[in-house]
Amino acid sequence: MAKFPPKPGPISAKPLGILLNDVFAEAYAKQGFASRELVTRWTQIAGPEIAAHAEPLKMQWPRPVEGQPQEPATLVLRVEGPMALEIQHSADVILERVNRFFGWSAVGKLAFRQAPLSRPQVRKRPGPPDPKVVAKVAEGLGDIEDEELKTALARLGAAIKRN
């Protein structure tokens, strides 16, 4: 009688963020961030108006002096050139929001670096395929009794041809 291997248990998929947490944690730590939430949740922390023109670059912590309390960090922001002055005028608001996020006065001042922001490119979704092309593809599909299926396949074929 042959022995079969045991049945595998249920597969539990883990989010990619959890699997790569240690990889990213080291990169964020090199920039002075204790956690990545300041970077990943920047829009919620700073507000959409500020986040549209500034992003956190790094946190610079002063060296601790023995017997003295830890001094607050300097948050370095990358700011788009034309908006640098406006963001500088909002420094008090930014400091308040960041420290509220941390729950303590972690950041004492801001420093600015003028540079383009590293925004991901937004891909525009293509519109629906041309009805003439859809009709031409539908003619070549042959005998498909289900009209909804035939129409869906024709739209798919037209979209594939377009790309």
Side-chain angles (χ1 to χ4, degrees):
M1 187 183 258
K3 283 189 168 184
F4 294 104
K7 266 185 149 177
I11 297 173
S12 62
K14 294 183 180 177
L16 190 57
I18 291 174
L19 295 173
L20 295 176
N21 190 30
D22 294 336
V23 174
F24 291 127
E26 184 178 329
Y28 284 111
K30 285 183 181 178
Q31 296 303 320
F33 297 110
S35 68
R36 65 175 184 240
E37 278 76 25
L38 182 64
V39 177
T40 59
R41 297 179 58 200
W42 178 246
T43 303
Q44 291 98 11
I45 295 168
E49 306 86 24
I50 294 170
H53 304 289
E55 63 188 10
L57 195 57
K58 63 182 173 179
M59 286 183 70
Q60 296 174 330
W61 293 91
R63 293 184 186 245
V65 177
E66 196 172 319
Q68 297 290 325
Q70 175 65 46
E71 292 288 321
T74 300
L75 176 61
V76 180
L77 296 177
R78 178 183 293 146
V79 182
E80 289 180 322
M83 288 300 293
L85 188 60
E86 186 71 29
I87 299 294
Q88 189 173 8
H89 287 299
S90 303
D92 292 339
V93 173
I94 296 170
L95 284 172
E96 177 187 340
R97 290 177 181 175
V98 169
N99 287 329
R100 187 178 331 133
F101 169 75
F102 283 124
W104 62 290
S105 296
V107 179
K109 61 182 178 175
L110 299 176
F112 303 101
R113 304 292 181 263
Q114 288 186 359
L117 299 183
S118 58
R119 292 188 181 122
Q121 293 182 349
V122 178
R123 288 182 50 177
K124 293 182 182 177
R125 297 186 82 189
D130 185 16
K132 294 176 186 176
V133 178
V134 172
K136 187 176 179 182
V137 171
E139 291 173 11
L141 287 176
D143 295 334
I144 299 177
E145 293 177 14
D146 188 351
E147 280 301 315
E148 288 182 26
L149 176 61
K150 188 173 184 175
T151 305
L153 289 172
R155 284 195 319 264
L156 176 64
I160 291 172
K161 283 186 175 184
R162 177 179 56 198
N163 294 333

